[in-house]
Amino acid sequence: MRMLVTGGAGFIGANFVHQTVREHPDVEVTVLDALTYAGDERSLAPVADAVTFVRGDIAEADVVDGLVAATDVVVHFAAESHNDNSLHDPWPFVRTNVLGTYQLLEAVRRHGVRYHHISTDEVYGDLELDDPERFTPETPYNPSSPYSSTKASSDLLVRAWARSFGVQATLSNCSNNYGPYQHVEKFIPRQVTNVLDGVRPKLYGTGENVRDWIHVEDHNSAVWTILEKGRAGETYLIGADGEKDNRTVVETILELMGQEPDAYDLVTDRPGHDLRYAIDATKLRTELGWEPRYTTFRDGLAATVEWYRANEAWWRPQKDATERRYTELGR
Ligand code: NAD
Ligand code: TDX
């Protein structure tokens, strides 16, 4: 099978390519990635001999058409992915997440290619802290930020192309991922690398916001389960029952790194900051038989801390520019 992975030089995409090369050696992988500030070809170095890398933009029809014509399946990870950036400058989010997805959908429609769309639980908006409900595939879309609204827009395009044009598409909406190769702008790597630099972690607002953490390997094993067993036109929610408030996550990082648990600062909150996300993954577990492997957050987090400790050469080039952007935003 020939597989085109968009965004394969980013955090989740690179981990997906590693997992695919390791566990599905019969698959011929081509990565299409624009190498924006968030992409890093070095994340693919351990599998460079096993994959074909193409630097290109998913919003450019010609680039996309040629590659889609030569594949059997597209797994679409490429996106502008950071909420804080989307509040500062939404245009790259509209261009990549909406127009880019449109170009891919038109290409898979023309060439009759199977398509899997990677999305986020943020399309559902947020929950109250004490709400007993979690997100399900039936929860109405209610995105808050430019990032999540462009992801919601792209999901709706996929659903329409599946229904109206018969495109063989599946969708997945996953909760917050953690693990190796995540950009230092994101919450967990930012705090871990701050501590390594002798800087105090920075919690937005009061730190009470809740995210539903899943290890990136579990997200990607779920994507493989959907590729193998999912039904066309269906949406699957991916989550591993990992709800934690941000304060608890920071305290755990501090403790794992030998610091006092209160050695953090509260900083200006993110505008429109979603309070809580929580995924009900019953459909994925019962219909497709998927189970997560990283069920102890503390162990997965400890391994992630060690990865950042051992791989400073990977993250160091991004760190100063990232913190300069945060200083401009007052966070
Ligand atoms: P990331 O920012 O680490 O990586 C995105 C990749 O896409 C980068 O390599 C970048 O160079 C590439 N890219 C951006 N614009 C492009 C364009 N126009 N053409 C080609 N390539 C382009 O993001 P991530 O955290 O790995 O997220 C991957 C996907 O998973 C996204 O679709 C995101 O919405 C989704 N998702 C992420 C999370 C999470 O916790 N990180 C959770 C749920 C869903
Ligand atoms: O320095 C920080 N301090 C802080 O308190 C940063 C960077 C974040 N936060 C908070 C904001 C969120 O409540 O931590 C939480 C996680 O923040 P992010 O890592 O920016 O993730 P989030 O906004 O929840 O979105 C992530 O999960 C869903 C990904 O970035 C998205 O791509 C994905 O769709």
Side-chain angles (χ1 to χ4, degrees):
M1 179 171 61
R2 298 165 302 170
M3 176 179 280
L4 179 66
V5 179
T6 72
F11 164 46
I12 307 174
N15 279 284
F16 179 81
V17 172
H18 287 224
Q19 190 176 115
T20 300
V21 168
R22 199 170 61 236
E23 295 177 10
H24 305 270
D26 48 322
V27 175
E28 280 174 40
V29 178
T30 299
V31 168
L32 170 60
D33 197 296
L35 296 180
T36 68
Y37 81 95
D40 191 335
E41 212 179 336
R42 293 176 308 155
S43 304
L44 293 170
V47 291
D49 292 345
V51 305
T52 304
F53 182 83
V54 178
R55 184 172 189 174
D57 185 342
I58 57 163
E60 285 178 17
D62 295 351
V63 173
V64 166
D65 188 75
L67 291 168
V68 170
T71 196
D72 301 305
V73 55
V74 174
V75 187
H76 175 36
F77 291 92
E80 285 292 337
S81 69
H82 193 37
N83 274 300
D84 289 325
N85 293 342
S86 81
L87 294 160
H88 191 62
D89 180 13
W91 166 239
F93 290 75
V94 174
R95 183 176 183 282
T96 289
N97 301 358
V98 184
L99 298 182
T101 299
Y102 164 79
Q103 295 298 0
L104 285 163
L105 285 170
E106 282 294 81
V108 294
R109 173 158 86 106
R110 266 193 302 275
H111 299 291
V113 167
R114 165 99 163 82
Y115 174 87
H116 181 73
H117 186 72
I118 304 291
S119 191
T120 167
D121 58 359
E122 298 192 18
V123 299
Y124 299 115
D126 60 354
L127 298 162
E128 293 299 327
L129 293 178
D130 60 356
D131 192 333
E133 299 299 316
R134 298 189 291 171
F135 299 137
T136 73
E138 284 72 46
T139 305
Y141 274 35
N142 188 25
S144 311
S145 72
Y147 163 68
S148 50
S149 63
T150 56
K151 291 298 293 187
S153 307
S154 66
D155 290 11
L156 297 180
L157 296 180
V158 178
R159 290 178 178 202
W161 263 243
R163 175 163 169 161
S164 298
F165 302 131
V167 165
Q168 296 294 295
T170 41
L171 290 90
S172 56
N173 297 80
C174 187
S175 60
N176 286 61
N177 286 220
Y178 72 99
Y181 299 105
Q182 186 168 30
H183 194 281
V184 291
E185 71 189 353
K186 301 297 189 329
F187 179 51
I188 288 177
R190 183 183 187 203
Q191 313 313 340
V192 171
T193 54
N194 275 355
V195 175
L196 290 173
D197 276 350
V199 173
R200 286 160 72 93
K202 302 196 187 312
L203 267 181
Y204 293 174
T206 60
E208 67 182 340
N209 304 63
V210 170
R211 297 294 182 264
D212 189 352
W213 294 99
I214 182 172
H215 195 278
V216 64
E217 289 282 325
D218 283 333
H219 181 178
N220 286 328
S221 74
V223 171
W224 260 105
T225 300
I226 296 165
L227 286 170
E228 288 175 332
K229 301 187 203 162
R231 283 179 291 135
E234 292 291 314
T235 292
Y236 299 90
L237 267 55
I238 305 174
D241 302 330
E243 280 188 70
K244 299 267 177 299
D245 65 53
N246 293 340
R247 188 184 292 267
T248 303
V249 174
V250 161
E251 286 170 354
T252 312
I253 290 171
L254 285 164
E255 192 212 313
L256 287 168
M257 299 183 77
Q259 308 288 311
E260 292 300 319
D262 60 353
Y264 58 80
D265 293 326
L266 297 177
V267 297
T268 316
D269 207 355
R270 173 186 285 171
H273 193 175
D274 279 341
L275 193 49
R276 174 176 160 241
Y277 306 137
I279 288 274
D280 178 346
T282 303
K283 178 175 173 181
L284 179 67
R285 285 172 184 259
T286 56
E287 283 186 24
L288 305 189
W290 172 83
E291 290 293 338
R293 279 183 297 174
Y294 290 78
T295 45
T296 310
F297 177 70
R298 195 190 154 78
D299 293 349
L301 188 58
T304 304
V305 167
E306 288 317 306
W307 189 87
Y308 281 91
R309 210 190 277 287
N311 289 279
E312 179 174 347
W314 182 85
W315 57 263
R316 176 60 67 194
Q318 306 282 357
K319 183 65 180 168
D320 289 351
T322 301
E323 289 305 321
R324 270 199 303 278
R325 262 203 311 275
Y326 276 122
T327 303
E328 280 162 26
L329 298 174
R331 291 197 280 281

